[in-house]
Amino acid sequence: MSTATNALALRSLRHRPRAAVATFLAVLLGTLLIGSFATLAESAGAASGSDADTLVILGAVVGGWGAVIVLFSVASTVGITTTQRATEIGLLRTIGATPRQARRLIARETGAVAVTAAMAGALLAALSGRALFGLIRSGGLVSERTRYDGGPAAVAGAALLVLAVSALAAAVAARRATRGPAGIVARASASEQGRMRWWRVAIALLLVGYGLAMAVITITVTAHDADPYAAMSTSGSSSILVGVGLAVLAPVLLRWGAAPVRLLAGSSATAHLASYNTARRAHLLSGVLAPVVVLTSAAVGTLMLVDIDRRTLPGGNADSDTITLLNNVVVGMVSLFAAIMVVNAFVATIAHRREELHRLRLLGATPRQVRGSVVAEAGVVAAVGVVLGTLAALTTVVPFAVARHEGVVPDGGLWLAPVVIAAIVALTLGSARGAVRSAARELAR
């Protein structure tokens, strides 16, 4: 039975290459990023003095916050690609498969892709970790006497962590998809409109509450500390925490946010259809909304924090250079990963909707109308995502500006938010347009 299940799982993967690629990229990049920073933390054991402190901060603190985002994105991608198979799972059950057999099939498929990607990511992390260490040492953040000491333990630990999260996400999504009677249409409908689980709401509230608590502590406690960077240590993570917390609630927030967007867009048929389809497919499109929220909150919050710090404290010393580098690394790492996840999520989502887009063509819709409908939905997702992400970013910007005596509104750098938001909206719309054009070309063959 086990051999037959493995063979069936491998054959099944051939019919959904885009979903498999989405999972592969998420696990590969997640292992690469976490593993690279884990080698820095491991190298700290062979260093001493300030070099050890710098490597611990880079590896454990920066890598740790990055890991929160990476693991969330991996879990989101695996969960979405598994949930998209609700109709297929229902079909398997109607021909006699038990829920346990269906879950086992999903676990084998996810495991085959995730293990391959994690191994490749671990190998790349061993190389990128050494390169990252060389960059840090050439920049003067650690002395020449400190040597790179990252080994297989760090990258293997990162791979196991990502694999554990992938397995958990697949198990939760598979259990949800196989719960209840085997009805294909009913199951597909339930998977898109089902209520959010209590534990997911609890995790979201915990993250948002923690982020808001750090913002309050910044204003009331660390703002009065003699260390000028104490306020940064408490406010810097607030935007990431709140952003990830809101991303966990993405299906519900997208349904709520679609209606106001329709009112703002007017009464045109395109605006109505985009808002209606977005609300109806909120569970599916939440996989795109989540990285948009995290990307906006992390990029806007951290960039404006760095700008406030540069404006209110003189630079040029070792601490300021290290802090600036750390923040730039966070922004670059998170932005790159979240941008790839936005593109990745749209490719997987559009691939799941190929039959629907084909039916629209058969009903008389032109290719331009089909592309316009998908891009309009992406516009709704982008609008909701940047609004939520900006609100999350305020939990870092406002407390830190108050702590540095600039008031609720920073004295400068207000152009950063519109520029970042415009780039994220362009990325979202461009990803949707590229994905639907690719799907249209395949349907035309």
Side-chain angles (χ1 to χ4, degrees):
M1 181 63 187
S2 178
T3 303
T5 303
N6 290 337
L8 179 61
L10 293 177
R11 285 197 298 271
S12 178
L13 284 174
R14 299 173 186 171
H15 296 287
R16 56 179 64 82
R18 293 183 185 278
V21 169
T23 302
F24 184 88
L25 286 176
V27 175
L28 172 71
L29 295 174
T31 306
L32 173 61
L33 287 174
I34 297 176
S36 299
F37 283 94
T39 60
L40 298 183
E42 189 176 9
S43 298
S48 60
S50 60
D51 288 359
D53 295 338
T54 300
L55 290 174
V56 168
I57 292 173
L58 281 168
V61 179
V62 179
W65 285 120
V68 172
I69 298 172
V70 168
L71 294 177
F72 168 77
S73 299
V74 170
S76 177
T77 301
V78 173
I80 288 296
T81 55
T82 303
T83 303
Q84 287 176 349
R85 303 178 56 187
T87 302
E88 175 195 343
I89 294 170
L91 179 60
L92 286 174
R93 293 196 56 198
T94 58
I95 61 176
T98 65
R100 183 178 181 182
Q101 289 174 325
R103 290 196 295 269
R104 187 180 300 169
L105 177 66
I106 293 172
R108 299 290 172 85
E109 291 183 25
T110 304
V113 176
V115 169
T116 304
M119 292 175 62
L123 292 175
L124 293 175
L127 301 176
S128 61
R130 184 180 292 277
L132 182 60
F133 180 86
L135 179 66
I136 293 169
R137 191 167 62 180
S138 64
L141 294 180
V142 296
S143 62
E144 291 294 330
R145 67 176 181 276
T146 299
R147 302 298 177 187
Y148 176 75
D149 196 37
V155 295
L160 291 175
L161 178 62
V162 175
L163 282 176
V165 172
S166 303
L168 179 61
V172 171
R175 182 169 293 278
R176 184 172 60 241
T178 55
R179 189 174 56 240
I184 299 175
V185 177
R187 171 55 52 202
S189 175
S191 67
E192 291 193 359
Q193 302 295 336
R195 297 179 60 183
M196 186 170 289
R197 305 291 292 178
W198 67 267
W199 54 265
R200 188 165 174 173
V201 176
I203 292 174
L205 294 178
L206 178 64
L207 290 170
V208 173
Y210 189 28
L212 293 176
M214 288 294 101
V216 172
I217 289 174
T218 300
I219 296 176
T220 58
V221 180
T222 55
H224 310 289
D225 196 291
D227 183 358
Y229 291 108
M232 181 182 288
S233 67
T234 54
S235 64
S237 59
S238 295
S239 61
I240 296 176
L241 285 167
V242 176
V244 174
L246 294 177
V248 174
L249 296 174
V252 172
L253 296 177
L254 186 55
R255 275 197 291 271
W256 291 352
V261 172
R262 181 179 60 183
L263 296 176
L264 294 174
S267 58
S268 67
T270 302
H272 173 78
L273 287 175
S275 175
Y276 173 77
N277 287 333
T278 303
R280 190 170 64 88
R281 298 183 175 281
H283 195 82
L284 183 64
L285 291 173
S286 64
V288 182
L289 177 66
V292 172
V293 174
V294 174
L295 177 59
T296 306
S297 62
V300 173
T302 309
L303 285 175
M304 293 194 71
L305 177 141
V306 171
D307 190 64
I308 294 171
D309 180 63
R310 177 191 56 77
R311 195 167 50 245
T312 53
L313 280 184
N317 57 64
D319 287 342
S320 64
D321 291 344
T322 303
I323 297 290
T324 300
L325 175 63
L326 294 178
N327 286 313
N328 289 335
V329 168
V330 171
V331 174
M333 179 182 65
V334 171
S335 299
L336 176 62
F337 189 81
I340 293 174
M341 286 300 102
V342 171
V343 178
N344 203 20
F346 257 121
V347 170
T349 302
I350 296 302
H352 179 66
R353 299 176 60 185
R354 288 177 59 190
E355 292 185 3
E356 174 197 345
L357 300 180
H358 183 57
R359 285 195 295 270
L360 287 176
R361 292 292 310 278
L362 294 178
L363 290 172
T366 65
R368 183 176 181 180
Q369 289 173 325
V370 173
R371 288 197 300 272
S373 172
V374 173
V375 172
E377 292 176 26
V380 176
V381 173
V384 175
V386 296
V387 168
L388 294 175
T390 303
L391 291 175
L394 292 179
T395 60
T396 284
V397 176
V398 173
F400 193 63
V402 171
R404 290 295 177 88
H405 309 293
E406 288 197 344
V408 175
V409 180
D411 291 342
L414 299 180
W415 56 271
L416 281 169
V419 170
V420 172
I421 288 172
I424 294 172
V425 170
L427 172 69
T428 307
L429 298 181
S431 300
R433 187 176 177 82
V436 73
R437 285 174 68 92
S438 176
R441 283 197 298 269
E442 293 183 6
L443 290 174
R445 293 173 183 170

mmCIF file of all heavy atoms in Angstrom, residues 40-56 133 142-143 145-147 149:
data_model
loop_
_atom_site.group_PDB
_atom_site.id
_atom_site.type_symbol
_atom_site.label_atom_id
_atom_site.label_comp_id
_atom_site.label_asym_id
_atom_site.label_seq_id
_atom_site.Cartn_x
_atom_site.Cartn_y
_atom_site.Cartn_z
ATOM 1 N N LEU A 40 25.779 32.169 10.888
ATOM 2 C CA LEU A 40 26.404 33.283 11.609
ATOM 3 C C LEU A 40 26.309 33.061 13.116
ATOM 4 O O LEU A 40 27.277 33.304 13.860
ATOM 5 C CB LEU A 40 25.730 34.604 11.232
ATOM 6 C CG LEU A 40 25.823 35.030 9.765
ATOM 7 C CD1 LEU A 40 25.160 36.395 9.574
ATOM 8 C CD2 LEU A 40 27.273 35.083 9.303
ATOM 9 N N ALA A 41 25.137 32.625 13.582
ATOM 10 C CA ALA A 41 24.983 32.354 15.017
ATOM 11 C C ALA A 41 25.919 31.240 15.456
ATOM 12 O O ALA A 41 26.490 31.292 16.555
ATOM 13 C CB ALA A 41 23.529 31.984 15.313
ATOM 14 N N GLU A 42 26.112 30.232 14.613
ATOM 15 C CA GLU A 42 27.019 29.143 14.960
ATOM 16 C C GLU A 42 28.466 29.640 14.990
ATOM 17 O O GLU A 42 29.265 29.207 15.831
ATOM 18 C CB GLU A 42 26.881 28.002 13.954
ATOM 19 C CG GLU A 42 27.636 26.744 14.356
ATOM 20 C CD GLU A 42 27.400 25.602 13.382
ATOM 21 O OE1 GLU A 42 26.808 25.829 12.319
ATOM 22 O OE2 GLU A 42 27.829 24.471 13.694
ATOM 23 N N SER A 43 28.816 30.550 14.075
ATOM 24 C CA SER A 43 30.174 31.093 14.045
ATOM 25 C C SER A 43 30.484 31.925 15.278
ATOM 26 O O SER A 43 31.663 32.121 15.623
ATOM 27 C CB SER A 43 30.375 31.941 12.785
ATOM 28 O OG SER A 43 30.223 31.158 11.622
ATOM 29 N N ALA A 44 29.439 32.441 15.945
ATOM 30 C CA ALA A 44 29.659 33.243 17.145
ATOM 31 C C ALA A 44 30.323 32.435 18.247
ATOM 32 O O ALA A 44 31.020 32.991 19.119
ATOM 33 C CB ALA A 44 28.332 33.815 17.647
ATOM 34 N N GLY A 45 30.150 31.099 18.232
ATOM 35 C CA GLY A 45 30.758 30.262 19.254
ATOM 36 C C GLY A 45 32.269 30.252 19.196
ATOM 37 O O GLY A 45 32.936 30.021 20.218
ATOM 38 N N ALA A 46 32.829 30.498 18.007
ATOM 39 C CA ALA A 46 34.279 30.516 17.854
ATOM 40 C C ALA A 46 34.857 31.922 17.919
ATOM 41 O O ALA A 46 36.065 32.097 17.751
ATOM 42 C CB ALA A 46 34.674 29.868 16.521
ATOM 43 N N ALA A 47 33.982 32.931 18.138
ATOM 44 C CA ALA A 47 34.442 34.330 18.219
ATOM 45 C C ALA A 47 34.457 34.782 19.674
ATOM 46 O O ALA A 47 34.048 34.057 20.586
ATOM 47 C CB ALA A 47 33.534 35.217 17.386
ATOM 48 N N SER A 48 34.932 35.976 19.893
ATOM 49 C CA SER A 48 34.991 36.518 21.259
ATOM 50 C C SER A 48 34.723 38.013 21.219
ATOM 51 O O SER A 48 34.832 38.656 20.170
ATOM 52 C CB SER A 48 36.369 36.245 21.885
ATOM 53 O OG SER A 48 37.381 36.859 21.095
ATOM 54 N N GLY A 49 34.387 38.551 22.390
ATOM 55 C CA GLY A 49 34.196 39.987 22.525
ATOM 56 C C GLY A 49 33.068 40.527 21.660
ATOM 57 O O GLY A 49 32.011 39.897 21.512
ATOM 58 N N SER A 50 33.310 41.704 21.088
ATOM 59 C CA SER A 50 32.272 42.359 20.288
ATOM 60 C C SER A 50 31.957 41.594 19.006
ATOM 61 O O SER A 50 30.830 41.677 18.491
ATOM 62 C CB SER A 50 32.723 43.789 19.937
ATOM 63 O OG SER A 50 33.927 43.756 19.187
ATOM 64 N N ASP A 51 32.929 40.844 18.493
ATOM 65 C CA ASP A 51 32.665 40.050 17.290
ATOM 66 C C ASP A 51 31.583 39.005 17.559
ATOM 67 O O ASP A 51 30.689 38.788 16.729
ATOM 68 C CB ASP A 51 33.945 39.354 16.819
ATOM 69 C CG ASP A 51 34.937 40.321 16.206
ATOM 70 O OD1 ASP A 51 34.601 41.528 16.144
ATOM 71 O OD2 ASP A 51 36.029 39.894 15.812
ATOM 72 N N ALA A 52 31.680 38.344 18.700
ATOM 73 C CA ALA A 52 30.672 37.342 19.063
ATOM 74 C C ALA A 52 29.298 37.990 19.225
ATOM 75 O O ALA A 52 28.280 37.439 18.769
ATOM 76 C CB ALA A 52 31.081 36.634 20.353
ATOM 77 N N ASP A 53 29.262 39.165 19.868
ATOM 78 C CA ASP A 53 27.974 39.855 20.041
ATOM 79 C C ASP A 53 27.357 40.221 18.696
ATOM 80 O O ASP A 53 26.143 40.063 18.484
ATOM 81 C CB ASP A 53 28.172 41.119 20.883
ATOM 82 C CG ASP A 53 28.612 40.791 22.305
ATOM 83 O OD1 ASP A 53 28.360 39.647 22.748
ATOM 84 O OD2 ASP A 53 29.204 41.676 22.960
ATOM 85 N N THR A 54 28.192 40.734 17.781
ATOM 86 C CA THR A 54 27.676 41.126 16.465
ATOM 87 C C THR A 54 27.120 39.923 15.704
ATOM 88 O O THR A 54 26.041 39.991 15.098
ATOM 89 C CB THR A 54 28.795 41.787 15.635
ATOM 90 O OG1 THR A 54 29.271 42.938 16.312
ATOM 91 C CG2 THR A 54 28.290 42.180 14.256
ATOM 92 N N LEU A 55 27.836 38.814 15.753
ATOM 93 C CA LEU A 55 27.375 37.622 15.036
ATOM 94 C C LEU A 55 26.106 37.048 15.657
ATOM 95 O O LEU A 55 25.217 36.558 14.946
ATOM 96 C CB LEU A 55 28.482 36.561 15.030
ATOM 97 C CG LEU A 55 29.695 36.895 14.158
ATOM 98 C CD1 LEU A 55 30.800 35.854 14.341
ATOM 99 C CD2 LEU A 55 29.304 36.985 12.695
ATOM 100 N N VAL A 56 26.012 37.109 16.986
ATOM 101 C CA VAL A 56 24.787 36.631 17.646
ATOM 102 C C VAL A 56 23.597 37.499 17.254
ATOM 103 O O VAL A 56 22.500 36.995 16.954
ATOM 104 C CB VAL A 56 24.979 36.621 19.180
ATOM 105 C CG1 VAL A 56 23.637 36.418 19.875
ATOM 106 C CG2 VAL A 56 25.944 35.517 19.581
ATOM 107 N N PHE A 133 29.092 35.962 5.676
ATOM 108 C CA PHE A 133 30.118 36.224 6.686
ATOM 109 C C PHE A 133 31.276 37.033 6.079
ATOM 110 O O PHE A 133 31.790 37.970 6.703
ATOM 111 C CB PHE A 133 30.641 34.902 7.237
ATOM 112 C CG PHE A 133 31.704 35.057 8.289
ATOM 113 C CD1 PHE A 133 31.351 35.237 9.618
ATOM 114 C CD2 PHE A 133 33.047 35.048 7.949
ATOM 115 C CE1 PHE A 133 32.330 35.385 10.593
ATOM 116 C CE2 PHE A 133 34.028 35.202 8.917
ATOM 117 C CZ PHE A 133 33.675 35.372 10.241
ATOM 118 N N VAL A 142 33.146 42.695 11.884
ATOM 119 C CA VAL A 142 33.904 41.762 12.716
ATOM 120 C C VAL A 142 35.366 41.839 12.280
ATOM 121 O O VAL A 142 35.673 42.190 11.136
ATOM 122 C CB VAL A 142 33.380 40.303 12.589
ATOM 123 C CG1 VAL A 142 31.964 40.186 13.097
ATOM 124 C CG2 VAL A 142 33.470 39.821 11.148
ATOM 125 N N SER A 143 36.265 41.510 13.196
ATOM 126 C CA SER A 143 37.699 41.649 12.904
ATOM 127 C C SER A 143 38.202 40.499 12.024
ATOM 128 O O SER A 143 37.538 39.470 11.886
ATOM 129 C CB SER A 143 38.477 41.681 14.220
ATOM 130 O OG SER A 143 38.295 40.454 14.909
ATOM 131 N N ARG A 145 40.518 38.473 12.680
ATOM 132 C CA ARG A 145 40.900 37.268 13.422
ATOM 133 C C ARG A 145 39.738 36.303 13.615
ATOM 134 O O ARG A 145 39.958 35.136 13.951
ATOM 135 C CB ARG A 145 41.458 37.671 14.788
ATOM 136 C CG ARG A 145 40.447 38.286 15.733
ATOM 137 C CD ARG A 145 41.041 38.566 17.113
ATOM 138 N NE ARG A 145 40.069 39.124 18.027
ATOM 139 C CZ ARG A 145 39.753 40.402 18.106
ATOM 140 N NH1 ARG A 145 40.368 41.279 17.311
ATOM 141 N NH2 ARG A 145 38.835 40.833 18.961
ATOM 142 N N THR A 146 38.519 36.774 13.425
ATOM 143 C CA THR A 146 37.357 35.903 13.560
ATOM 144 C C THR A 146 37.139 35.113 12.282
ATOM 145 O O THR A 146 37.103 35.683 11.195
ATOM 146 C CB THR A 146 36.094 36.737 13.874
ATOM 147 O OG1 THR A 146 36.299 37.426 15.111
ATOM 148 C CG2 THR A 146 34.872 35.845 14.001
ATOM 149 N N ARG A 147 36.991 33.817 12.438
ATOM 150 C CA ARG A 147 36.847 32.931 11.290
ATOM 151 C C ARG A 147 35.421 32.400 11.180
ATOM 152 O O ARG A 147 34.708 32.275 12.169
ATOM 153 C CB ARG A 147 37.817 31.740 11.408
ATOM 154 C CG ARG A 147 39.278 32.144 11.515
ATOM 155 C CD ARG A 147 39.728 32.881 10.269
ATOM 156 N NE ARG A 147 41.118 33.343 10.375
ATOM 157 C CZ ARG A 147 41.704 34.138 9.476
ATOM 158 N NH1 ARG A 147 41.025 34.526 8.411
ATOM 159 N NH2 ARG A 147 42.950 34.510 9.649
ATOM 160 N N ASP A 149 32.725 29.725 11.050
ATOM 161 C CA ASP A 149 32.666 28.419 11.706
ATOM 162 C C ASP A 149 31.303 27.759 11.527
ATOM 163 O O ASP A 149 30.893 26.934 12.342
ATOM 164 C CB ASP A 149 32.997 28.565 13.197
ATOM 165 C CG ASP A 149 33.325 27.217 13.827
ATOM 166 O OD1 ASP A 149 33.964 26.391 13.146
ATOM 167 O OD2 ASP A 149 32.930 26.974 14.977
#
